[in-house]
Amino acid sequence: MTIATTAAPAGQSALDRLRTLAGAGELAAHYPEIPQLLAGLGTEEIARAGRQLGRLKPEDVLGHHPGTETLTVAVTGSSTLAGLLPPLTGELARHGLLLRAWNGDFDSWITDLQDTDSELYQAKADLTLCVLDAEAVLRSLPVPWRVEDARAATEATLALVDRLAGHYMAHGTGTLVLNTVPLPRAYTHQLVDLASRAALGIAWREFNSGLLRLAAGYERVAVLDLEPLLAESGPANDPRLAMYAKAAYGDELLGRYAREVGHLARTVRGRTKKVLVVDLDNTLWDGILGDDGADGIAAAVTFRGEAFGRFQRVVKQLGSQGVLLAVSSKNDQEPVLDVLGSHPDMVLRTDDFVRINANWQPKDVNLRDIADRLNLGVDSFVFADDSPFETGLVAASLPGVAVVRLDEEPALHIGALLADNWFDVRELTAEDRARAGLYRSEEARQSLLESAGSLDEYLQQLQVTVDLSPVQEHEIARMAQLTLRTNQFNLTTERLQPADVRARLADGQHWVLAVRTADRFGDQGLVGGVFARVEGDTLLVENVILSCRVFSRGIEQTALSAVLAQAAGRGLRQVRAAYRPTKKNHKVRDFFPSVGFTRSGGTDEAPDFAHDLAEVPEVPGHVTITARF
């Protein structure tokens, strides 16, 4: 049996499929195929695909598929960057994003960022890429020059970039993306004494460190470190193109840069993956448990076993930062649990996983089961397996799952897993580090539910408490993260960065309320939020969000009841709200009617609601709430 791993017909490559669709004038109509077609392609192939896709007009795609998510990117910099748009187009398409691009003139970055009337600002970009190179820093060096001259140039450039970043924060939109700057050998080796070369290296590293620190100083600045990319891509450029075409970075490095931008775009759009599902045999350990027995498998001691052990360490490292770990393996459950519990080679243990499915079901069935158990969509999953059949099966039947195809060489497994930054977040929170434990505690709640005589009895025994109050400074990153990562209980799916949350907090007309909850089995932390704004005698509820971990416990009704009671107590006459549909939030379409709101306008697909505050819905009887406004 053969499982197709892309949407291309058998015998036709992904790039051939693109050319066929383009030649037939059907590329826009088939745009939803693109992410699956491009999955697994290298940077050079992505750039070739991007050149084909770049001929599409966004409006043509949107005409066929109005729900396609677009991303506006403005590109400016200090050198020729024409080679960036094809890989950028391809990388965004690989993640299901349609590029709207604005490209600045050669070396116009200072003017573009300084002039608030420039086309860069008018573009209102989601991402503004300011691509810097060494010539931007050192082109004004005198002849001859000394290390002191280069140090002064780096300090002046860093101060300029800092000032322009602050200016962009005040007047621009979206995220400003900067980069560290490689120091070319053509500069270091103009210095003939080793002491001066070392001093120049120190000054340059201090310059790059200063650039990286800008991301900590500005919430809407991201700095991509080019050093790891350069280590993988070879020379930064072709010296002839750098001299004559002013192309400071070659196609290979720009392709890797575009790949990182694609990962960042996915992060700012709330597309971070949440769950890593791994196979076991020849994935977490060397050997096949069912054939070789526990004594015949290895994740240490042997040469190959050591490679598997290192892979386990990386998986465990991801799990420590909020990535939920699960197993889908064709094995019997009891031997698997024995190995994870007591085998001396194992770095990963039973408690590291929120779900272990060791059985003989097809792996796509297992992934659906894990998703159901965690109350998450499979499109939040990454699946890593060494079997081409299993990865092909999952890719074909569950296209929303990110498939990591591991091969027979375990030394390459870490690179394959980390290649696409699937789990990136802007900032790690305390809830992230505690997430696996919070999900594991759900087993105790499930046991209580199964033993209770009814749902009401379960809720009474659960002893739910809710704390509702304005978001605190240390919770801003978590609240922004909830808007980015929560899809099912998200009434309008407005995505907010930390700076957006902070701006609402600073506005006296906005209410930014954190929903925290606990029960008899432990503290669940900050699990949701209410965003509202006072407008005259009306409170506009802009969004209500709630983590899928705590659905169906009355928490959302409790929080909104408290908000309505506060609005009534302040003399407001009505509350207005809206539901805006997405592919994932259909479960909450009737949330507002369920708490007493009536239809007030909008459309059948995107209704508006109102509540006159003559009566305020009661807090569910099984919930205890503390509300502070």
Side-chain angles (χ1 to χ4, degrees):
M1 179 180 179
T2 299
I3 300 293
T5 57
T6 74
Q12 188 179 40
S13 73
L15 294 178
D16 287 342
R17 172 67 171 162
L18 282 180
R19 284 190 287 267
T20 299
L21 290 172
E26 297 179 354
L27 193 52
H30 288 263
Y31 197 81
E33 290 184 26
I34 302 303
Q36 189 73 348
L37 278 171
L38 303 187
L41 296 187
T43 54
E44 184 178 347
E45 293 172 306
I46 289 289
R48 291 167 62 192
R51 280 188 283 273
Q52 189 73 63
L53 293 167
R55 301 187 181 103
L56 281 176
K57 294 180 179 179
E59 288 69 25
D60 292 340
V61 175
L62 294 171
H64 288 280
H65 309 285
T68 304
E69 192 169 0
T70 63
L71 190 88
T72 301
V73 179
V75 179
T76 189
S78 51
S79 66
T80 300
L81 294 168
L84 177 57
L85 285 183
L88 186 60
T89 302
E91 290 292 350
L92 293 179
R94 188 167 69 95
H95 296 299
L97 297 169
L98 182 63
L99 174 63
R100 292 184 184 274
W102 175 86
N103 204 8
D105 295 331
F106 168 76
D107 198 24
S108 62
W109 64 283
I110 297 175
T111 301
D112 288 339
L113 290 172
Q114 194 162 259
D115 180 8
T116 54
D117 292 326
S118 69
E119 291 184 30
L120 181 146
Y121 282 93
Q122 302 309 312
K124 299 188 181 303
D126 299 297
L127 296 178
T128 294
L129 313 182
C130 179
V131 186
L132 302 177
D133 62 82
E135 285 295 315
V137 183
L138 300 176
R139 67 179 54 157
S140 60
L141 287 180
V143 179
W145 59 275
R146 303 175 65 182
V147 171
E148 291 78 7
D149 299 313
R151 181 182 292 278
T154 62
E155 291 173 350
T157 303
L158 181 60
L160 172 62
V161 174
D162 191 353
R163 179 175 63 80
L164 291 175
H167 189 66
Y168 186 88
M169 294 304 99
H171 302 285
T173 62
T175 298
L176 175 64
V177 183
L178 304 170
N179 59 274
T180 60
V181 180
L183 176 60
R185 187 177 186 274
Y187 277 103
T188 61
H189 283 64
Q190 291 180 38
L191 302 171
V192 298
D193 66 294
L194 299 182
S196 292
R197 286 183 196 168
L200 176 60
I202 292 169
W204 202 262
R205 284 164 177 79
E206 289 173 347
F207 167 60
N208 277 330
S209 295
L211 289 172
L212 289 166
R213 278 192 288 270
L214 292 179
Y218 299 105
E219 288 184 320
R220 289 192 292 113
V221 169
V223 183
L224 301 184
D225 192 353
L226 295 194
E227 186 174 332
L229 308 186
L230 193 59
E232 291 187 344
S233 65
N237 58 34
D238 181 311
R240 294 163 296 182
L241 290 174
M243 175 63 69
Y244 302 125
K246 309 303 180 189
Y249 298 132
D251 287 346
E252 186 175 359
L253 183 56
L254 286 177
R256 293 183 183 275
Y257 171 88
R259 198 175 192 90
E260 294 298 311
V261 173
H263 304 158
L264 177 61
R266 196 181 59 230
T267 299
V268 300
R269 282 299 175 86
R271 293 189 171 197
T272 294
K273 301 293 187 180
K274 301 175 182 179
V275 184
L276 172 59
V277 183
V278 292
D279 177 41
L280 296 177
D281 294 332
N282 292 320
T283 296
L284 287 192
W285 57 62
D286 187 20
I288 299 174
L289 179 59
D291 294 341
D292 304 323
D295 293 336
I297 63 172
V301 185
T302 68
F303 285 115
R304 279 178 58 85
E306 183 181 355
F308 287 98
R310 290 190 177 185
F311 182 69
Q312 285 197 33
R313 288 184 176 88
V314 172
V315 172
K316 185 158 186 152
Q317 172 70 14
L318 294 175
S320 74
Q321 299 168 90
V323 177
L324 301 177
L325 305 181
V327 166
S328 175
S329 173
K330 287 192 173 177
N331 267 299
D332 292 324
Q333 184 90 352
E334 187 174 345
V336 165
L337 295 179
D338 286 344
V339 167
L340 293 175
S342 61
H343 196 289
D345 287 4
M346 297 302 123
V347 176
L348 289 163
R349 295 299 184 185
T350 307
D351 287 347
D352 290 311
F353 298 98
V354 296
R355 183 73 183 168
I356 297 174
N357 276 19
N359 55 45
W360 300 96
Q361 293 291 322
K363 298 231 171 159
D364 57 338
V365 174
N366 262 328
L367 263 62
R368 289 191 182 96
D369 175 71
I370 295 169
D372 290 342
R373 298 279 184 166
L374 300 179
N375 198 21
L376 293 170
V378 290
D379 58 352
S380 65
F381 281 34
V382 175
F383 172 62
D385 197 308
D386 68 301
S387 165
F389 173 84
E390 301 292 2
T391 55
L393 171 66
V394 171
S397 60
L398 301 174
V401 174
V403 175
V404 177
R405 295 173 170 88
L406 306 176
D407 59 22
E408 296 179 355
E409 176 47 74
L412 302 179
H413 287 185
I414 292 172
L417 178 61
L418 300 181
D420 275 308
N421 299 11
W422 292 115
F423 307 106
D424 280 7
V425 295
R426 182 62 191 264
E427 182 179 345
L428 205 63
T429 67
E431 285 81 1
D432 290 326
R433 296 192 184 278
R435 181 170 291 114
L438 295 174
Y439 270 90
R440 282 194 295 269
S441 70
E442 287 302 309
E443 294 183 12
R445 294 181 182 87
Q446 185 64 31
S447 295
L448 176 63
L449 175 60
E450 292 171 356
S451 65
S454 66
L455 178 60
D456 287 342
E457 182 182 335
Y458 162 71
L459 292 173
Q460 290 293 340
Q461 294 181 22
L462 194 56
Q463 300 169 16
V464 177
T465 64
V466 171
D467 181 277
L468 182 73
S469 66
V471 172
Q472 304 301 303
E473 175 67 27
H474 69 278
E475 297 173 321
I476 289 175
R478 168 60 176 167
M479 182 61 77
Q481 185 187 81
L482 279 170
T483 72
L484 291 168
R485 300 182 66 174
T486 303
N487 296 305
Q488 296 182 63
F489 202 114
N490 192 329
L491 273 299
T492 58
T493 319
E494 182 181 11
R495 308 300 190 184
L496 301 177
Q497 299 297 322
D500 301 319
V501 176
R502 183 169 281 109
R504 282 166 167 77
L505 278 172
D507 181 348
Q509 300 305 306
H510 273 88
W511 298 5
V512 185
L513 304 171
V515 179
R516 311 168 193 86
T517 189
D519 58 33
R520 62 182 287 186
F521 296 107
D523 190 343
Q524 296 280 289
L526 201 168
V527 297
V530 179
F531 294 84
R533 174 168 52 89
V534 177
E535 189 174 277
D537 64 355
T538 300
L539 182 70
L540 303 176
V541 177
E542 297 177 325
N543 203 4
V544 181
I545 54 178
L546 189 71
S547 170
C548 59
R549 283 192 287 111
V550 294
F551 281 4
S552 304
R553 298 176 192 171
I555 294 168
E556 60 273 30
Q557 294 93 337
T558 297
L560 195 60
S561 294
V563 168
L564 267 60
Q566 179 68 11
R570 293 192 181 189
L572 301 181
R573 296 177 63 86
Q574 69 168 338
V575 178
R576 290 195 282 126
Y579 164 76
R580 296 295 177 258
T582 67
K583 293 179 180 178
K584 299 181 181 179
N585 72 353
H586 61 277
K587 291 182 179 180
V588 295
R589 176 183 177 85
D590 296 325
F591 171 64
F592 286 121
S594 74
V595 287
F597 282 71
T598 57
R599 177 79 179 271
S600 63
T603 66
D604 289 341
E605 293 75 23
D608 296 331
F609 299 99
H611 198 297
D612 65 8
L613 293 179
E615 293 184 16
V616 175
E618 294 183 358
V619 172
H622 66 275
V623 180
T624 301
I625 182 169
T626 300
R628 303 180 301 279
F629 289 84

